Amino acid sequence: MLDDRLAGILSGSIVRVRRINYVRPGGVRDVGEGPVEVALDNGAVFRLESGDDGESLRFAVGEWVDPFAEPLSPENREFVASSGKWVAFDVSSDRDFDRLIGARLSDLNLLIASGKIVGVELVFGSATMRAEVRADELYVDFRDDHGR
C-alpha cells in the first residue's frame, strides 16, 4: 500500500497546489509560512508540514481537512472570531507555485539537521521547491536554473 502511494507521488504531474495559512481575526494572513498541499493528476495528494516537535518535517498523505468547517458550534464560532483559524488557499496560479503545475517530480533531496529531517528540496525539471521547518513553521522558497 505504501509503495503504491509512493509510486503515485513519483509518477503524477501536479494539477493543484494549496497553501494552508493561519488567518487571524480581521482576515490577516502570513502567506510566507504554513503547510503546502500538492494534488496530482493520478488522484494522489500529499502535504508538507511542520512535525509535532516543531523542528522536523512531516510528510502526510491526503487532502487537508478543515477542523473548523461549517457548520460551527456557537463555541467554535466564538473561538474562530477571537483567535482565527487555518485556511487552505489555492496558490496554483501564484508566482513560483505556478511553475509546478503540469510538472513531475524529478529528484528529491532531504535536509537534515541534528539527526532530523527538517526539510526537503523537490526538483521539478529546472525548478526546485525548498520546504524547511524553522521554529514550528514551514517556509517555502523556489529557485531554478535561471536564478528566479
Side-chain angles (χ1 to χ4, degrees), residues 20-59:
I20 298 119
N21 298 131
Y22 198 80
V23 178
R24 294 186 287 281
V28 177
R29 71 179 171 119
D30 185 348
V31 298
E33 58 188 47
V36 173
E37 178 186 276
V38 177
L40 305 172
D41 64 351
N42 59 17
V45 178
F46 68 91
R47 292 186 320 276
L48 302 172
E49 54 196 25
S50 176
D52 292 339
D53 62 3
E55 298 174 346
S56 58
L57 179 73
R58 179 173 184 254
F59 180 88

Side-chain angles (χ1 to χ4, degrees), residues 38-93:
V38 177
L40 305 172
D41 64 351
N42 59 17
V45 178
F46 68 91
R47 292 186 320 276
L48 302 172
E49 54 196 25
S50 176
D52 292 339
D53 62 3
E55 298 174 346
S56 58
L57 179 73
R58 179 173 184 254
F59 180 88
V61 174
E63 198 168 283
W64 179 76
V65 177
D66 182 355
F68 289 103
E70 294 289 349
L72 289 175
S73 68
E75 296 83 9
N76 283 346
R77 188 170 309 287
E78 183 179 320
F79 172 79
V80 169
S82 65
S83 300
K85 71 175 214 159
W86 291 96
V87 178
F89 295 90
D90 189 327
V91 294
S92 301
S93 61

Side-chain angles (χ1 to χ4, degrees), residues 96-110:
D96 292 324
F97 288 105
D98 63 350
R99 295 185 286 163
L100 303 181
I101 303 305
R104 293 182 189 274
L105 183 66
S106 59
D107 200 2
L108 177 145
N109 301 303
L110 298 177

